[in-house]
């Protein structure tokens, strides 16, 4: 992995750079059904299909647009490992954001709630993660220009960004996000296991992007939208359309939080 990432990043950057990008301090990656932030900022929109080296994302709810404003770069859509994308593709947007010069990334996702104190529709700040995808985006020859061979993950999620989010919304809960590959949802037994090992949230994205971001020295704020209680917690099956619908209901709150964070970060 990390094969030709420098070259790929360079090509992607050339196909989407928009003149003066000096003020872009924040990158944002929006998860399933959570693209609202994109419509609330002014800027140039570039479809992923026009960015060299970006594969077209396939999942419902992922529109695949990069929006660049004076202060931030928003990726509405991401590449999931379960779609068959390589890990290089999964983390290419993070390398691109680094090339834009971002210092902070706000990563959002839809997640299943394992912690029974959560409710569907609630936003939760990610305090830490369990990478249970069985892979790591940094496997391969290391390019010291980007980051160290063995990057520290002891504060993967920035405490100061979490504090900023809590200043805006003091009631937000925190939790540990377990990242699995999907695409099948978990079994109830797997969810019970995840609870035992310390997970509060479960999802199919984020962890590899965060590993890449930390490697690149970028601060990360992770926000999960609890779109459903994880399998087995309620007596009903999981359904992707419910994930999207619940995400839509939480979108306004997430958008408000992210816009205020961008304002305070700048
Ligand atoms: N499990 C995994 N990923 C998810 C879930 C879930 O319950 N909900 C939204 N994404």
């Amino acid at each position: 992995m990390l094969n030709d990432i420098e070259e790929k990043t360079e090509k992607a950057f050339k196909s989407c750079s928009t003149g003066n990008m000096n003020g872009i301090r924040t990158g944002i990656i929006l998860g399933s059904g959570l693209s609202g932030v994109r419509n609330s900022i002014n800027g140039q929109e570039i479809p992923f299909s026009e960015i060299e080296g970006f594969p077209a994302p396939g999942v419902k709810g992922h529109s695949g647009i990069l929006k660049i404003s004076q202060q931030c770069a928003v990726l509405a859509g991401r590449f999931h490992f379960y779609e068959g994308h390589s890990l290089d593709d999964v983390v290419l947007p993070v390398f691109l954001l680094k090339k834009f010069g971002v210092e902070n990334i706000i990563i959002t996702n839809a997640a299943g709630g394992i912690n029974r104190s959560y409710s569907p529709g609630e936003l939760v700040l990610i305090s830490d993660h369990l990478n249970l995808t069985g892979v790591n985006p940094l496997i391969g020859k290391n390019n010291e220009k980007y980051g160290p061979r063995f990057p520290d993950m002891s504060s993967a999620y920035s405490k100061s960004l979490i504090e900023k989010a809590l200043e805006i919304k003091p009631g937000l809960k925190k939790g540990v996000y377990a990242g699995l590959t999907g695409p099948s949802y978990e079994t109830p037994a797997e969810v019970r296991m995840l609870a035992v090992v310390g997970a509060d949230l479960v999802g199919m994205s984020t962890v590899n992007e965060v590993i890449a971001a930390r490697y690149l020295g970028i601060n990360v704020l992770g926000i999960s939208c609890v779109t459903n209680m994880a399998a087995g917690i309620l007596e009903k099956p999981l359904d992707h359309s419910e994930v999207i619908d619940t995400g839509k209901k939480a979108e306004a709150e997430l958008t408000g939080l992210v816009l205020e964070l961008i304002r305070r970060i700048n």
Side-chain angles (χ1 to χ4, degrees), residues 32 110-113 177 184-186 202-204 225 227-231 238 243:
S32 299
Y177 177 94
S184 54
Y185 288 114
E186 302 68 41
V202 59
M204 305 176 194
C225 172
T227 50
N228 56 282
M229 294 314 287
L238 270 56
V243 167

Side-chain angles (χ1 to χ4, degrees), residues 70 130 138 145 210 221 226:
Q70 277 182 334
L130 297 164
L138 308 181
K145 188 178 135 187
V210 172
L221 180 70
V226 179

Side-chain angles (χ1 to χ4, degrees), residues 65-106:
I65 296 277
L66 167 66
K67 190 155 190 178
I68 302 174
S69 79
Q70 277 182 334
Q71 298 178 324
C72 63
V74 180
L75 290 141
R78 56 152 57 94
F79 306 117
H80 296 91
F81 196 48
Y82 63 72
E83 291 172 282
H85 297 304
S86 68
L87 272 188
D88 277 6
D89 287 344
V90 171
V91 299
L92 179 58
V94 179
F95 278 77
L96 180 62
L97 290 172
K98 175 71 183 180
K99 182 86 188 166
F100 287 170
V102 311
E103 293 155 22
N104 307 286
I105 295 187
I106 301 171

Side-chain angles (χ1 to χ4, degrees), residues 32-144:
S32 299
L34 302 171
S35 299
V37 171
R38 170 188 150 198
N39 303 322
S40 306
I41 59 164
N42 294 319
Q44 185 183 342
E45 293 205 337
I46 304 164
F48 282 2
S49 56
E50 289 176 17
I51 304 176
E52 210 179 327
F54 265 37
V59 177
K60 210 170 142 191
H62 292 251
S63 48
I65 296 277
L66 167 66
K67 190 155 190 178
I68 302 174
S69 79
Q70 277 182 334
Q71 298 178 324
C72 63
V74 180
L75 290 141
R78 56 152 57 94
F79 306 117
H80 296 91
F81 196 48
Y82 63 72
E83 291 172 282
H85 297 304
S86 68
L87 272 188
D88 277 6
D89 287 344
V90 171
V91 299
L92 179 58
V94 179
F95 278 77
L96 180 62
L97 290 172
K98 175 71 183 180
K99 182 86 188 166
F100 287 170
V102 311
E103 293 155 22
N104 307 286
I105 295 187
I106 301 171
I107 296 189
T108 72
N109 59 47
I114 297 175
N115 186 319
R116 287 166 190 265
S117 77
Y118 300 161
S119 313
E122 186 168 2
L123 301 179
V124 175
L125 302 171
I126 302 177
S127 57
D128 206 347
H129 77 215
L130 297 164
N131 175 13
L132 301 177
T133 63
V135 288
N136 189 298
L138 308 181
I139 290 173
K141 194 167 180 295
N142 187 46
N143 184 345
E144 290 286 331

